[in-house]
Amino acid sequence: MDIGIENLTHHMPAILEYEASFSHQLDDWSTLDRLARINNTGIDIGKTKEEFKQLSKLLCHNLAQEISKNLMQEIGSVAQVSVDILVRNLFERTADIGFLSTDKDIRQFLANGPLRSPDNLQERFKEYVTKYSVYEDVVLLDTEGNVLVSLDETVVPKHSFDPLLQASLEASGAFVETFRHTDLQPHKEISLAYSCAVLSEQKKPLGVLVLFFKFDDEVQGIFQHLSRSEDWTVLTLLDQDNKVIASSDIWQIPLGVTLEVHKGEGVGVTRFRGRQYLAKTCKTKGYEGYKGLGWMGHAMIPLEYAFLPKLHQLSWEKEGMDLTPIMQTSKLFSEEIKAIPCKASKIQKELDRTVINGKLMDETGTIGMVLGEISRAGVVTKEIFEEAIEKLYKTVISTLLSDAQFSSALAIDIMDRNLYERANDCRWWALAGDFRRILAQESISPKDQALLTSILSYINNLYTVYTNLLLYDAHHKVVAVSASLGTEPWQLDSETWLGKTLEGAWANQTLRLTNTQHYAVSEFEPTPLYKKGEATYIYNAAICPLEGVTKACGGIGIVFDSEPQFRAILNDALPKTAAGEVKEGCFGLLTTRQGRIISSTHPAFAIGETFLVEKRFLEMPNGTSLSGLAQLQEWNYVVGATCSKGYREFKSAHDVYHCDVIALTYVPIGKEEPKSQNTTTKAPALVITIPKELELSRDKTKVITFEIGGEWFGFRAEQCACVLSAEGITPILSKETSYVAGFLTFKEKTLYVVNLSAKMEPSTRKIRDTDEIVVIRIEGNLHLEYIGIVASRIGEVQHIPHALIDPLAGLMGVMDLFSEAVIRNPQSEHAKMVTLLCASKIANRLVDPDRQKIHSIWST
């Protein structure tokens, strides 16, 4: 069943922790509100308390959504990949059985009747399974069901009555896929078999060939690759009847049980054996049109463990990544999430403003205790919100980092599995009897050369991952190519290449091989054997005579079509949208350890170029993954990287071939904003330091300080009515006014708002919602009772000893026209002095002239 986010939050420790903190803090605000009313302070924090309540709910809701989305994406990804990786593998098996069933040696064996000897064919099957190690047995039957050859003669019966025999004969050369118990493997409950009829040249059935796939071995390898030690997720494969055919933990989810599936959006909650699980079911996307037997990937995680922190999600935090570029980007978060820090900041500023206004009205000093408690509560509130917001950011980042890292690991896994098949193909084809017989001859007749070409062309038509296949003799001379029938202008042709000497080091290496298990691979380098001379890999195996010496008499080279194949692998692995499209701006790369590009989905990064990437991504051990943040072409990216480790024996410690490849996945998180040249580190708000010898002075003046244009100013407290938010100011659009930038309604009258920064700087700064308005009383002005002064932030309300206040002796700057004194602040690192402004001077010299212009404009 589907489940809403509200029903999951009680399973999320992080949400429960923050809800408890917010609830405790809300109780404190209620207590302070009552205390303020009892003491007749005139302070109303009810609005602030309600805003805090609503924002805490919004923050917890968004955090819960991100935590849930992170888990749902992870569960969905592993469920999807588990079945898709298997189907990719099984697609190769369908090609194998189709090709092997046409093997000349098998045909001749079946055609010989009573004269046939199974020993040689059994050795050939052993060679096959040694190379294609995904198979556990190869069985050949005649049309009556008699077992003629098998690798495990102690288990396989002499005769089979299995229906797959008749199904294969009726399929007339098409493969048959069987997953159930079969009498050909009586010791196993279920087998996965690929069978095909072996036909004569006249298409007459001669027998049936069966390949038995190592299903359990392969599936457990996939599960292990997708699971982490600290993860409680159970991975399963389901058949079309929703029965479990494979499980990563048979003690939790046994084989053979039927499960409730969830194929819709997100994940669902299901019950199994008295326990609740989050679950996701995914049908295979298929590969090259092949979708197997309709199996589904199914992931389940116990609900009580689903939202516990995971080690892999926290590891990136230890690296000290700078979150600033991510927090500032507009691409990562919804508008609702982006608004949360601003709303939290607004609450904090309202609290600060409440305390400041309380201090301004506290003439007797009796409400200082209440104000102190409100101030302390504000600090705690700020810390709680900052921690929760940071947790929200980190949850979003963790999702992206995990997504990118998973993508790179998937790309490497698919690549290694793909190239494993290439290493198998060249070695198997090198054992073809006609290749060995003809290349061992001193000369090759036109008839034999035509036979070689036809075999290569036949293979190449079946295996389209190669652009060309070629045979060369012991002197490096090309004796046959497969692409002579090709239509592309870049494809090889017999006239050009026959007799041509190969110059690659890989040909030398191949001809020195003496073991049928060994092979040679070219460097990833430009070659005339690939289209337009581009770079690719050429896989090679030595061809030895049928009998006698083991020295190579030639070699086979198979030219991998790397450009589209690698690009498809990267595209398949890149993060997708719900519609299955690659997320906008994401791209992938395959590189060498030196950063040389092997494949790229980004048009700006070409194959063969060197890609600049962090050194740690190029030096990580085989089979490991990393993630991090990076800047590239003015964009911020999340990067996932994985180094290849091989597949089965391919590139293993026992393999002769080693070639490390790094997969990189880049997920954009926003464009880097250009930094302003005037950007400076913001100093702490001003606090005037009172020398100890003056602390007990009775001659003091109460002052409020504020910042304008990076300088600090003040008013005597008796001149200041209150501090308001700049939000809601009606701007004055006319250019006729010099300093009056807008107006507010205050005490049911028009309050003119003055922007003094216009006097300090030639270009008038626009008023921002985050600015403060210091409301000043005007004495002796017939037209103005109050005016507002725009300030970027408020300092403190302090009692300043008269000994620190110096009257102005003369003009020291443009603001002196509106000043009456300066406050010395000798012990402060951030400001040497504070300029005390005169309200009446500002009103008379700045506001009155602009007021008259405004009334003139309004009257017209």
Side-chain angles (χ1 to χ4, degrees):
M1 62 177 179
D2 293 321
I3 188 167
I5 189 69
E6 64 278 358
N7 296 317
L8 294 177
T9 54
H10 61 281
H11 293 285
M12 300 179 182
I15 300 301
L16 296 177
E17 179 183 346
Y18 286 119
E19 284 181 339
S21 296
F22 287 138
S23 177
H24 179 73
Q25 193 62 19
L26 192 61
D27 290 341
D28 286 350
W29 282 118
S30 297
T31 300
L32 287 172
D33 192 20
R34 288 193 295 271
L35 186 61
R37 294 177 188 275
I38 291 173
N39 285 274
N40 293 318
T41 62
I43 298 173
D44 182 10
I45 59 175
K47 179 184 176 184
T48 301
K49 183 181 72 172
E50 185 61 29
E51 288 177 344
F52 169 84
K53 181 179 178 181
Q54 296 302 319
L55 187 58
S56 61
K57 286 182 178 180
L58 179 65
L59 186 54
C60 284
H61 176 74
N62 278 280
L63 181 56
Q65 280 190 320
E66 292 300 330
I67 291 173
S68 177
K69 184 173 73 173
N70 190 358
L71 179 67
M72 291 176 181
Q73 183 171 313
E74 187 171 333
I75 291 178
S77 294
V78 295
Q80 187 69 64
V81 169
S82 63
V83 66
D84 285 345
I85 284 287
L86 179 63
V87 166
R88 272 180 172 270
N89 193 323
L90 300 185
F91 170 76
E92 297 280 357
R93 311 298 56 98
T94 65
D96 288 348
I97 188 63
F99 178 70
L100 191 58
S101 65
T102 64
D103 186 81
K104 186 175 181 179
D105 292 345
I106 296 176
R107 281 176 169 174
Q108 287 181 345
F109 174 83
L110 289 171
N112 283 340
L115 300 177
R116 56 197 172 206
S117 172
D119 293 340
N120 290 339
L121 197 57
Q122 190 176 51
E123 285 301 315
R124 186 158 171 77
F125 286 172
K126 286 180 181 178
E127 282 274 14
Y128 189 81
V129 170
T130 302
K131 292 165 179 56
Y132 295 88
S133 57
V134 294
Y135 298 114
E136 57 187 345
D137 201 358
V138 183
V139 178
L140 182 65
L141 305 94
D142 65 16
T143 56
E144 301 300 321
N146 296 306
V147 176
L148 305 178
V149 183
S150 68
L151 292 180
D152 194 349
E153 295 179 333
T154 61
V155 174
V156 179
K158 298 297 182 183
H159 187 88
S160 173
F161 298 94
D162 197 291
L164 72 81
L165 176 70
Q166 189 60 35
S168 302
L169 292 172
E170 292 175 356
S172 300
F175 73 88
V176 173
E177 194 171 10
T178 304
F179 185 72
R180 53 172 170 73
H181 175 74
T182 171
D183 62 7
L184 289 169
Q185 286 195 320
H187 59 296
K188 299 187 66 174
E189 290 186 15
I190 296 179
S191 299
L192 178 57
Y194 290 83
S195 57
C196 188
V198 180
L199 306 178
S200 67
E201 296 290 345
Q202 294 75 32
K203 305 300 180 183
K204 178 183 177 181
L206 300 174
V208 172
L209 181 69
V210 186
L211 296 175
F212 285 98
F213 182 70
K214 292 180 179 177
F215 175 76
D216 293 334
D217 179 64
E218 177 63 19
V219 172
Q220 290 306 316
I222 293 173
F223 288 164
Q224 185 176 8
H225 176 71
L226 295 175
S227 302
R228 296 180 176 92
S229 58
E230 81 275 11
D231 197 352
W232 283 83
T233 304
V234 182
L235 297 176
T236 62
L237 281 176
L238 308 181
D239 65 12
Q240 290 179 310
D241 298 321
N242 303 335
K243 288 186 178 180
V244 176
I245 58 175
S247 172
S248 64
D249 187 348
I250 59 173
W251 301 108
Q252 282 197 72
I253 313 295
L255 300 179
V257 299
T258 300
L259 297 178
E260 179 185 3
V261 300
H262 183 85
K263 302 177 186 177
E265 293 292 327
V267 299
V269 172
T270 183
R271 290 190 180 189
F272 182 74
R273 293 188 172 180
R275 197 180 209 179
Q276 283 188 311
Y277 290 84
L278 287 177
K280 177 65 177 177
T281 314
C282 297
K283 291 183 177 181
T284 180
K285 297 176 183 176
Y287 183 65
E288 299 290 337
Y290 169 76
K291 294 191 175 182
L293 294 171
W295 296 339
M296 297 172 287
H298 184 78
M300 302 170 63
I301 184 169
L303 193 53
E304 67 267 32
Y305 297 112
F307 300 102
L308 294 180
K310 297 181 177 63
L311 295 176
H312 74 277
Q313 292 178 330
L314 301 177
S315 61
W316 66 271
E317 297 181 30
K318 300 177 182 178
E319 299 174 9
M321 295 182 184
D322 182 14
L323 301 185
T324 304
I326 293 183
M327 290 181 178
Q328 293 176 343
T329 182
S330 61
K331 196 174 181 67
L332 268 183
F333 309 105
S334 68
E335 292 302 320
E336 187 174 54
I337 292 178
K338 287 190 294 183
I340 290 177
C342 296
K343 291 181 178 179
S345 178
K346 180 182 175 183
I347 289 176
Q348 182 61 37
K349 294 195 76 168
E350 287 176 353
L351 290 174
D352 292 341
R353 202 177 297 120
T354 298
V355 172
I356 290 293
N357 289 333
K359 289 180 178 180
L360 287 172
M361 71 173 66
D362 184 19
E363 296 180 358
T364 63
T366 57
I367 63 173
M369 182 271 293
V370 177
L371 293 174
E373 290 302 315
I374 292 175
S375 181
R376 280 189 288 274
V379 171
V380 173
T381 299
K382 179 175 180 291
E383 291 174 350
I384 293 174
F385 271 121
E386 285 178 347
E387 182 181 342
I389 290 168
E390 184 178 21
K391 180 70 175 179
L392 176 60
Y393 282 136
K394 287 182 176 180
T395 301
V396 175
I397 298 164
S398 179
T399 302
L400 291 170
L401 289 166
S402 179
D403 200 16
Q405 189 168 303
F406 184 81
S407 168
S408 68
L410 179 59
I412 279 294
D413 187 49
I414 297 174
M415 183 204 72
D416 278 340
R417 287 167 174 269
N418 189 308
L419 298 183
Y420 160 84
E421 303 290 346
R422 311 310 47 105
N424 294 342
D425 290 346
C426 69
R427 290 179 295 168
W428 176 247
W429 296 336
L431 297 178
D434 285 332
F435 292 169
R436 301 171 71 182
R437 175 180 59 81
I438 295 174
L439 283 172
Q441 298 171 173
E442 290 186 6
S443 62
I444 299 176
S445 67
K447 181 180 178 181
D448 285 341
Q449 196 278 327
L451 176 59
L452 295 177
T453 299
S454 66
I455 296 173
L456 290 179
S457 296
Y458 171 72
I459 297 173
N460 207 168
N461 287 335
L462 287 176
Y463 291 80
T464 56
V465 296
Y466 306 110
T467 57
N468 297 292
L469 280 66
L470 63 150
L471 295 172
Y472 47 95
D473 64 18
H475 303 291
H476 299 197
K477 289 185 178 180
V478 176
V479 298
V481 297
S482 65
S484 58
L485 302 178
T487 58
E488 298 292 340
W490 46 262
Q491 285 188 307
L492 306 185
D493 62 88
S494 298
E495 293 182 3
T496 301
W497 281 93
L498 286 180
K500 190 169 183 177
T501 300
L502 298 174
E503 298 179 354
W506 45 268
N508 264 326
Q509 185 182 351
T510 302
L511 294 172
R512 291 196 297 267
L513 298 175
T514 58
N515 188 319
T516 59
Q517 277 300 101
H518 292 170
Y519 59 100
V521 187
S522 71
E523 297 292 332
F524 188 83
E525 58 190 6
T527 172
L529 292 168
Y530 192 43
K531 53 187 179 184
K532 300 178 183 177
E534 296 172 9
T536 192
Y537 289 118
I538 302 174
Y539 282 75
N540 301 263
I543 296 174
C544 298
L546 287 168
E547 297 177 357
V549 296
T550 57
K551 183 179 180 181
C553 57
I556 182 171
I558 57 179
V559 184
F560 182 55
D561 195 4
S562 60
E563 192 275 324
Q565 292 296 322
F566 283 156
R567 181 163 31 84
I569 288 172
L570 288 172
N571 277 319
D572 286 348
L574 286 174
K576 304 293 193 301
T577 64
E581 300 293 330
V582 174
K583 289 183 178 179
E584 183 181 359
C586 293
F587 69 92
L589 299 168
L590 296 175
T591 77
T592 66
R593 281 203 181 273
Q594 292 72 43
R596 185 165 171 251
I597 298 175
I598 292 172
S599 182
S600 167
T601 65
H602 196 298
F605 307 119
I607 295 172
E609 293 181 351
T610 298
F611 184 73
L612 297 180
V613 65
E614 277 189 72
K615 192 175 181 182
R616 67 190 183 108
F617 290 144
L618 300 177
E619 294 180 347
M620 61 182 137
N622 294 97
T624 59
S625 297
L626 292 173
S627 58
L629 309 180
Q631 290 183 359
L632 190 66
Q633 295 184 337
E634 299 182 349
W635 279 81
N636 291 316
Y637 286 89
V638 162
V639 185
T642 301
C643 181
S644 61
K645 67 173 181 178
Y647 170 67
R648 293 186 176 271
E649 65 278 0
F650 176 65
K651 291 187 183 179
S652 71
H654 305 291
D655 196 1
V656 295
Y657 176 60
H658 299 281
C659 179
D660 295 340
V661 176
I662 311 293
L664 297 164
T665 295
Y666 279 73
V667 180
I669 53 177
K671 197 165 186 178
E672 180 72 7
E673 295 295 332
K675 296 182 180 179
S676 171
Q677 295 181 350
N678 298 323
T679 300
T680 57
T681 302
K682 195 172 186 179
L686 176 76
V687 176
I688 298 173
T689 306
I690 311 297
K692 289 185 178 181
E693 64 271 18
L694 297 177
E695 286 179 355
L696 299 178
S697 173
R698 294 185 178 182
D699 297 326
K700 292 182 178 179
T701 296
K702 192 175 181 181
V703 171
I704 180 173
T705 59
F706 49 91
E707 186 182 27
I708 301 176
E711 300 293 332
W712 284 92
F713 301 91
F715 280 109
R716 297 179 189 274
E718 64 266 20
Q719 293 181 308
C720 185
C722 64
V723 177
L724 302 175
S725 168
E727 255 187 296
I729 286 181
T730 302
I732 295 175
L733 303 178
S734 173
K735 296 181 180 180
E736 296 295 323
T737 61
S738 300
Y739 303 105
V740 176
F743 54 87
L744 287 167
T745 299
F746 180 70
K747 292 188 175 183
E748 299 181 351
K749 293 183 179 180
T750 298
L751 177 74
Y752 292 96
V753 178
V754 181
N755 189 354
L756 289 178
S757 63
K759 188 68 177 174
M760 301 172 65
E761 301 174 7
S763 59
T764 302
R765 180 178 60 83
K766 290 183 178 180
I767 299 176
R768 302 170 300 181
D769 286 346
T770 56
D771 285 336
E772 308 278 2
I773 305 300
V774 182
V775 180
I776 305 301
R777 297 184 184 92
I778 306 299
E779 300 289 343
N781 190 303
L782 298 177
H783 305 287
L784 297 170
E785 185 177 356
Y786 297 96
I787 62 172
I789 306 296
V790 178
S792 56
R793 55 176 170 165
I794 306 298
E796 260 293 350
V797 176
Q798 292 182 263
H799 289 83
I800 307 300
H802 290 172
L804 294 181
I805 302 175
D806 297 331
L808 289 177
L811 295 179
M812 295 185 298
V814 292
M815 294 301 288
D816 291 344
L817 293 172
F818 319 105
S819 306
E820 62 175 64
V822 293
I823 302 173
R824 285 180 286 109
N825 195 21
Q827 299 182 36
S828 171
E829 297 179 2
H830 305 293
K832 292 296 184 183
M833 65 179 185
V834 175
T835 303
L836 276 180
L837 299 176
C838 177
S840 59
K841 289 181 180 180
I842 295 174
N844 296 335
R845 297 179 183 179
L846 297 184
V847 181
D848 269 340
D850 276 358
R851 181 184 59 81
Q852 294 172 14
K853 293 176 184 177
I854 293 170
H855 278 280
S856 174
I857 294 170
W858 285 350
S859 63
T860 58

